[in-house]
Amino acid sequence: MTIRLTLVAAAAGPALREARFDDDSPLDERGREQARAISVPSAKRYCVAPQVRCRETADVLGLTAAVEPLLRDMDMGTWSGRTLDELAAEDPRAVAAWTTDPAAAPHGGESVTDLCRRVGGWLDLLPEDAGRILAVTGPAAVRAAVVHALAAPPAAFWRIDVPPLSTTQLTRRAGRWNLRLG
């Protein structure tokens, strides 16, 4: 059997537009409008990350989705709600460590390595007969899923761009994940 997983990156909220790390704030009207303008494929199962903007994106898309805690976006700890420029001015070494070492979590949150392990674990726990799944989550969780699917090193995380409301398709057959472009 083949699992067909579509990951939908949540709509942009005020934090993303202001280049701040997400602070779990709700979508604004612009984000809701953008979400209303897209269509997503149907699925057998719908999942959503617990963040407010992920749940609101799923609601706008008309999805009845189960909250999946393992799909939560990266925990930014004390950096939540702050800009990278602010943080770089305040503690350039911490920012440099975090952006170059996937195991670093100087902000009291989650490292890229830990995020990739968590999201990859969720992917691997999906039953072979899961069929079509659609999940709405944050961009970091989508990146982590791609890193896992490709068996790429965690440092590849920073080389993957995930725009708001983009879709990423992964398939799994015989225990092996693949990235599907199309």
Side-chain angles (χ1 to χ4, degrees):
M1 303 220 46
T2 299
I3 298 173
R4 297 184 194 294
L5 172 63
T6 300
L7 298 164
V8 178
L16 184 61
R17 273 193 268 293
E18 296 166 8
R20 291 184 289 115
F21 288 111
D22 192 25
D23 56 0
D24 205 24
S25 56
L27 292 178
D28 54 16
E29 188 52 39
R30 183 173 168 196
R32 283 188 283 280
E33 277 180 35
Q34 290 170 335
R36 281 192 283 273
I38 71 163
S39 62
V40 294
S42 62
K44 177 179 173 182
R45 175 179 165 197
Y46 297 94
C47 304
V48 63
Q51 283 85 9
V52 171
R53 79 184 169 99
C54 295
R55 293 190 327 257
E56 289 183 355
T57 299
D59 288 344
V60 170
L61 294 173
L63 307 177
T64 302
V67 174
E68 176 49 68
L70 293 175
L71 286 180
R72 70 186 180 280
D73 215 16
M74 181 180 269
D75 177 359
M76 295 311 298
T78 61
W79 291 3
S80 294
R82 304 197 53 208
T83 69
L84 198 55
D85 288 342
E86 287 172 359
L87 296 165
E90 185 178 294
D91 192 351
R93 277 192 281 205
V95 171
W98 183 69
T99 58
T100 58
D101 179 2
H107 47 79
E110 186 173 29
S111 72
V112 168
T113 300
D114 289 341
L115 171 70
C116 290
R117 189 175 299 120
R118 172 171 49 84
V119 173
W122 178 79
L123 289 170
D124 290 343
L125 287 174
L126 292 172
E128 290 295 325
D129 64 350
R132 291 184 185 275
I133 304 168
L134 186 139
V136 179
T137 188
V142 175
R143 286 185 189 124
V146 171
V147 166
H148 181 76
L150 297 178
F157 175 90
W158 299 114
R159 311 297 250 154
I160 303 167
D161 290 330
V162 181
L165 298 169
S166 62
T167 59
T168 301
Q169 295 184 343
L170 302 175
T171 60
R172 185 174 85 190
R173 177 176 286 162
R176 188 181 81 194
W177 283 102
N178 293 297
L179 174 63
R180 182 179 179 147
L181 302 175

